[in-house]
Amino acid sequence: ENPLRVIVGLADEFYNEKVFFDDNYLIFTDRGFDREMIPPFIEHNRVIQLESTGRESFTQGVLEELYKRGVMFAMLEGGANLATSFMEAGAIDEVLYFYAPKILGGGYPLFTGQKSKTIQQGALIELKSSGSTGEDILVHGYLKLEKICLPE
């Protein structure tokens, strides 16, 4: 069965619309989003506009709507802000990290917010498995939520 694709927010531009927007997706935006900006290949009834007062209430709204629709498991793909929102909501329990063996002069954080000062303050992942997939390295584990250092 095709999993439900859930998109949080809408990008300014869309690529590969035929590949991603099949018949099993939902898009969450806030009430301030202009529905006229929705590209023609997206069905308007699949866009859910949530009333929110900020990141926390928006994330909670997404989780509540998915629960109402019977969604009990979801894979979260996105940037640090999205990951932090769901982490702060307590909605992440399992992680799959892909590391590309590249050396860069900088990069993007996995999470935003308060940075751990010591390794003991960092989020602990109980390792389930690790290995390579192509040239990348995959780390799979379960998040120990009591060890997370996030903003208050």
Side-chain angles (χ1 to χ4, degrees), residues 6 16 21 28 30 34 46-47 62 72-73 88 92 99 104 110-111 125 145-146 149 151:
V6 177
N16 299 322
F21 297 99
F28 290 93
D30 61 24
D34 182 4
R46 296 191 183 265
V47 178
V62 170
M72 300 304 294
F73 300 95
E88 289 173 344
I92 297 177
Y99 295 97
L104 303 173
L110 296 174
F111 298 96
I125 297 173
L145 296 175
E146 70 275 4
C149 178

Side-chain angles (χ1 to χ4, degrees), residues 1-2 5 9 12-13 27 37 44 51-52 55 60 62 77 84 93 100 114 122 129 134 138 142 145-146 151:
E1 180 181 331
N2 272 349
R5 293 177 185 260
D12 293 333
E13 295 183 41
I27 299 172
M37 299 298 294
H44 282 239
E51 196 69 50
S52 70
R55 184 167 83 175
Q60 194 60 41
V62 170
E77 287 184 85
T84 299
D93 57 359
Q114 182 179 344
S129 65
L138 168 63
Y142 296 95
L145 296 175
E146 70 275 4

Side-chain angles (χ1 to χ4, degrees), residues 86-148:
F86 281 80
M87 175 88 76
E88 289 173 344
I92 297 177
D93 57 359
E94 187 174 3
V95 293
L96 295 162
Y97 283 92
F98 289 88
Y99 295 97
K102 306 284 184 203
I103 298 174
L104 303 173
Y108 297 102
L110 296 174
F111 298 96
T112 59
Q114 182 179 344
K115 296 189 180 5
S116 300
K117 303 270 189 258
T118 66
I119 198 152
Q120 289 84 10
Q121 291 176 325
L124 182 62
I125 297 173
E126 182 181 315
L127 186 63
K128 181 176 178 183
S129 65
S130 64
S132 61
T133 173
E135 292 185 10
D136 295 340
I137 299 165
L138 168 63
V139 176
H140 177 204
Y142 296 95
L143 197 59
K144 297 230 173 176
L145 296 175
E146 70 275 4
K147 295 290 186 180
I148 296 173

